[in-house]
Amino acid sequence: MMHNGTPVTVLGLGLMGGALAEAFLRAGHPTTVWNRTPAKADGLVVRGAIRAPSPGAAIAASPLVVVCVSDYDAVADILDGPLDGRVVVNLTSGTPSRARELAAEVVRRGGGYLDGGVMAVPEAVGTADAVLAYSGPRALYDAHASSLGSLGTGLHLGDDPGLSATHEMATLVLMWSMLDGFLNGVAILGSAGVTATAYLPVAQTAIDMVAGWLPGYARQADDGVYPADDGTLDTHLTAMKQVIQESEALDVNSELPRLIRALAERAATAGHGGSGYVALVEQFRTR
């Protein structure tokens, strides 16, 4: 394999870490790898990767060090040693506070730090369909954007190293809510003998429709103004009550619509019964 890119190191060779290393190799980067279980590097070594005997040796091998392991405790353990001149790109999931703590520690030891998240399945890494979000000093990101571009489409979210983890948490809530809503709908339709596969075209149409509302909803949330362009919250409350009643009649779990209704009722009690649905954002902004 021809190697003509910036040398990189990948620490952690699970499903995602292995995909990151593969992408660097395909893009022509001399790639050093390390994993607690050395055998996980075997296939990568066959394809041209260099197996390091220790994390310290792996870090010393490259100016750009990408870490993707189980948690931030594991990251801190692996990065034990000097980091002079190294830029650490941590693609491990964690909290914003831990990202900031780790960034400060890396800088204290002479390195640079970018936190990041991979918004893709391992199979998509290395293609334009894989989106990777980074936070940390813009100058560091710009200096290594070309190399990181080997992994997919990059987004820089800001200089605060905690922003990537904050975005990841917000996106996970969005993802779980959407998936739970789909599965709740599957349960309701199942009582009528409708399969999840049969429901799919309607569900995808609804998801696309809601996605189209987001730009306008985002502006309303930012402005704090909630016009009832597509129905009042009181109208939604009536529909929520009907969903709960029917779920109970069908002996289908009603916890999710009950939670949604409780939030909407609080918003209405606060004076937003005649407002649009985005008024609910105020319920999420308070404990």
Side-chain angles (χ1 to χ4, degrees), residues 54-182:
S54 67
I59 292 168
S62 311
L64 185 63
V65 178
V66 176
V67 188
C68 186
V69 290
S70 58
D71 55 39
Y72 277 40
D73 288 338
V75 176
D77 183 51
I78 290 170
L79 295 179
D80 182 26
L83 296 171
D84 293 336
R86 299 296 180 266
V87 173
V88 175
V89 180
N90 181 23
L91 298 180
T92 303
S93 295
T95 65
S97 60
R98 288 299 304 275
R100 296 182 185 108
E101 290 170 3
L102 187 57
E105 177 63 15
V106 169
V107 171
R108 187 186 69 79
R109 288 159 52 194
Y113 182 88
L114 292 171
D115 205 78
V118 184
M119 293 185 282
V121 295
E123 293 77 14
V125 171
T127 73
D129 292 334
V131 177
L132 293 91
Y134 303 94
S135 58
R138 179 76 201 210
L140 279 184
Y141 174 74
D142 288 343
H144 294 280
S146 177
S147 297
L148 294 174
S150 301
L151 304 178
T153 302
L155 296 175
H156 184 259
L157 302 173
D159 289 342
D160 175 1
L163 280 174
S164 175
T166 304
H167 276 75
E168 182 176 21
M169 290 185 171
T171 304
L172 285 171
V173 170
L174 173 65
M175 179 187 72
W176 291 330
S177 299
M178 183 165 54
L179 291 175
D180 285 350
F182 171 71

Side-chain angles (χ1 to χ4, degrees), residues 1-77:
M1 177 178 290
M2 293 289 293
H3 291 308
N4 53 18
T6 299
V8 298
T9 285
V10 178
L11 302 173
L13 301 174
L15 289 176
M16 186 59 74
L20 297 171
E22 287 267 13
F24 281 129
L25 283 170
R26 288 197 302 269
H29 293 273
T31 304
T32 299
V33 296
W34 176 87
N35 193 76
R36 290 189 188 279
T37 304
K40 286 193 174 181
D42 289 350
L44 293 165
V45 171
V46 169
R47 288 186 286 281
I50 303 164
R51 190 198 322 257
S54 67
I59 292 168
S62 311
L64 185 63
V65 178
V66 176
V67 188
C68 186
V69 290
S70 58
D71 55 39
Y72 277 40
D73 288 338
V75 176
D77 183 51

